[in-house]
Amino acid sequence: MKIGLDVLGGDYAPESNIKGAIEAQKLLDESQRIVLFGDEHATRKAIEAAGSDPSKFDYVHAPENISMHEHPTKAITQKPNSSIAKGFELLKSAEIDSFSSAGNTGAMLVGAMFSVKTIPGVLRPAIATNVPKLKEGFGILLDVGANADCKPEMLNQFALLGSLYAEHVYGIPTPKVGLLNIGEEEEKGNNLTVATYPLLKANNKINFIGNAEGRDLFSDHADVIVCDGYTGNVALKLAESFYVVTLKKGFKDPFFDRFNYERYGGSPILGVNAPVIIGHGISTPEAIKNMVLLSRDMIASQFIEKIRSAFN
């Protein structure tokens, strides 16, 4: 198993990424190798300085970085030696089994769609995120930013992608799928949700339980909640702010602690032909570690094959 990791992506790279990789490596078995994309000489030196053995990792020399403010498509094509471009080059050729980065989100989306491409039958890939539940565990919310404008058919596919992710990566049996809406009734909502509801209701590949309101987001009402990327991104950023606010107010609570993005590592792009994970721009070593472990779990679960089978 080859787990690709961008060393140069993120606000605290490369130090944070290297420390996270070192911690993740301690939890992997001998058949699982982390492949680091960045300046090979500098990365080896930093690993050694951190007290770890550089031989425990594999390397791809990719000294250029795509910054957060660069145009994604131009950067991918004009910087072939960047860590993200090289990552997708090796992912496409199956020299690595997954690729993750806390760098430019747009570049990660462009790289995923134009290198490994979407799985046949998938209209558009979606970005999924974890949302903590009040009692225990967490649910899956998607899309949270890949597709600001959606068609009903896309939301119907997001429901299946999220359901497969919850079941096969996180072991949630027969996940309950809800449609994020402004009311419980079937006829409630805007044009998109009203048109999506009957598609989800007729989808025999998911366990659709009806509409989910904003107040249901952190309850046991649904395991997977589906929405367009615009709505999902607003909900995600609001949820992330809860943790920041509690810290600023000096308020400690186990539930709000579970809003800490570090716990989940990153957000997968569901619907492409390989595991691709986008990390938070401010990823700490703990977040990087968990992003690597999520990559491992997605590879081990053969999740991509499950999607291909469902969309065949």
Side-chain angles (χ1 to χ4, degrees):
M1 181 186 295
K2 298 279 191 178
I3 304 169
L5 175 65
D6 176 11
V7 172
L8 302 180
D11 294 350
Y12 305 131
E15 293 82 8
S16 181
N17 303 22
I18 291 170
K19 289 178 181 177
I22 291 171
E23 291 306 308
Q25 190 276 329
K26 296 174 183 177
L27 302 174
L28 302 179
D29 62 39
E30 291 183 358
S31 68
Q32 299 164 340
R33 299 277 294 185
I34 301 173
V35 183
L36 301 174
F37 290 78
D39 185 308
E40 181 176 353
H41 175 73
T43 302
R44 285 179 178 273
K45 192 173 180 181
I47 291 172
E48 194 170 11
S52 186
D53 181 0
S55 68
K56 292 181 178 179
F57 301 88
D58 294 337
Y59 304 86
V60 174
H61 187 57
E64 290 186 286
N65 179 41
I66 296 176
S67 73
M68 295 295 191
H69 304 293
E70 289 187 73
H71 188 280
T73 306
K74 288 182 179 179
I76 285 283
T77 56
Q78 294 175 2
K79 288 187 171 181
N81 291 319
S82 66
S83 52
I84 289 179
K86 280 290 183 183
F88 281 112
E89 180 184 321
L90 267 68
L91 190 62
K92 181 180 179 180
S93 61
E95 294 175 67
I96 56 175
D97 299 301
S98 69
F99 183 61
S100 58
S101 173
N104 188 305
T105 299
M108 288 294 288
L109 276 168
V110 169
M113 291 187 66
F114 292 99
S115 62
V116 294
K117 303 185 185 303
T118 55
I119 290 170
V122 175
L123 296 172
R124 292 279 296 183
I127 299 176
T129 193
N130 296 3
V131 178
K133 294 184 177 182
L134 273 167
K135 291 183 179 179
E136 62 179 357
F138 52 85
I140 308 297
L141 176 68
L142 76 165
D143 178 29
V144 294
N147 310 279
D149 296 301
C150 293
K151 296 178 179 179
E153 295 80 9
M154 293 164 63
L155 264 61
N156 189 32
Q157 291 194 349
F158 295 169
L160 178 54
L161 290 170
S163 183
L164 292 168
Y165 181 59
E167 179 181 359
H168 296 292
V169 177
Y170 288 115
I172 302 173
T174 319
K176 297 177 291 183
V177 179
L179 174 64
L180 190 59
N181 212 333
I182 59 171
E184 297 178 357
E185 298 83 1
E186 184 173 343
E187 66 276 6
K188 282 287 184 74
N190 56 18
N191 291 337
L192 176 60
T193 56
V194 169
T196 299
Y197 194 104
L199 297 181
L200 298 177
K201 191 175 181 180
N203 190 339
N204 59 15
K205 294 182 178 181
I206 63 171
N207 176 24
F208 181 54
I209 51 92
N211 287 327
E213 297 183 79
R215 64 187 176 188
D216 299 318
L217 202 56
F218 310 117
S219 74
D220 291 324
H221 180 71
D223 300 303
V224 177
I225 294 182
V226 179
C227 60
D228 62 89
Y230 183 93
T231 304
N233 193 266
V234 171
L236 170 62
K237 297 296 172 60
L238 177 62
E240 286 181 342
S241 73
F242 294 163
Y243 178 67
V244 177
V245 169
T246 56
L247 288 180
K248 288 182 177 179
K249 292 292 185 180
F251 178 67
K252 288 291 292 179
D253 182 90
F255 171 65
F256 288 110
D257 286 344
R258 289 194 284 122
F259 280 90
N260 186 354
Y261 73 93
E262 292 180 332
R263 292 185 172 218
Y264 309 112
S267 300
I269 304 175
L270 304 183
V272 293
N273 278 296
V276 176
I277 300 175
I278 300 172
H280 206 295
I282 56 171
S283 287
T284 61
E286 179 70 12
I288 296 294
K289 179 194 80 174
N290 287 326
M291 185 161 64
V292 171
L293 297 180
L294 176 57
S295 299
R296 176 201 62 187
D297 293 344
M298 289 183 71
I299 299 167
S301 69
Q302 297 184 315
F303 172 64
I304 304 301
E305 291 304 318
K306 304 292 194 305
I307 298 179
R308 288 199 187 107
S309 177
F311 278 83
N312 185 4

